[in-house]
Amino acid sequence: MYGIYKTARYLFGNWNNAVKASGFKPNPVMFSEKQIANDGHICDSVAEKIIDNWLSARKIIHQRNVAYPESPYTADFAINGKLIEFFGLAGEMKNYDNIILEKRKISTKSKIPLIEIYPRDLFPIKNLNRVLSKQLLA
């Protein structure tokens, strides 16, 4: 759904109304429908589950919801001192974009590598292979 959030809100008043109009049941709260990855990790979205399953399939040891140093934020995943974030709503909500900027600043200040994943990186799966393989090996 990347790229249609603003349009959906304009046409239907809000995202949940657009979801209802398309015949689906909306989440009452953002990220309320948790997903269980193959390794048992609880994920906040289907996208996070795809990433978690990608890591597990390659036997890459990873942690979920790891705290950023000296901040209220958490990263979706951590692997060998690197943080991984799925920024699924980037460019769709100003507050969300501000949080992305804050996470980047904290990462830079703390000298912790941050791997950023966006919806375009999930499909086709070869995109996720390219992004994660390249950055995890760096």
Side-chain angles (χ1 to χ4, degrees):
M1 299 302 162
Y2 185 73
I4 67 165
Y5 181 78
K6 288 179 188 174
T7 303
R9 284 185 50 196
Y10 175 78
L11 294 173
F12 295 93
N14 64 47
W15 178 256
N16 281 342
N17 286 344
V19 171
K20 287 178 195 173
S22 66
F24 294 99
K25 179 183 166 196
N27 291 335
V29 178
M30 190 179 290
F31 307 122
S32 67
E33 289 282 332
K34 303 297 183 189
Q35 303 290 319
I36 308 296
N38 293 341
D39 62 4
H41 283 147
I42 298 171
C43 299
D44 294 328
S45 66
V46 172
E48 287 182 12
K49 179 181 176 181
I50 290 168
I51 296 164
D52 197 295
N53 287 343
W54 186 96
L55 296 167
S56 295
R58 286 150 185 81
K59 299 185 180 5
I60 298 172
I61 298 170
H62 56 283
Q63 297 171 295
R64 287 277 301 135
N65 300 319
V66 177
Y68 279 81
E70 300 176 29
S71 88
Y73 301 116
T74 59
D76 298 325
F77 303 94
I79 300 169
N80 296 328
K82 296 178 182 181
L83 300 177
I84 299 175
E85 290 278 11
F86 175 67
F87 291 137
L89 296 176
E92 301 292 341
M93 299 185 333
K94 186 174 185 172
N95 186 46
Y96 190 87
D97 289 343
N98 289 337
I99 291 170
I100 292 172
L101 293 175
E102 281 299 310
K103 288 182 173 186
R104 286 177 181 157
K105 285 179 191 174
I106 295 166
S107 170
T108 300
K109 180 181 176 186
S110 303
K111 297 182 173 136
I112 299 171
L114 176 62
I115 300 170
E116 299 181 18
I117 300 174
Y118 295 90
R120 67 181 177 267
D121 299 323
L122 294 182
F123 302 104
I125 197 70
K126 69 179 180 180
N127 292 346
L128 188 59
N129 289 336
R130 178 185 43 79
V131 171
L132 285 177
S133 294
K134 177 182 173 184
Q135 295 200 41
L136 288 175
L137 297 175

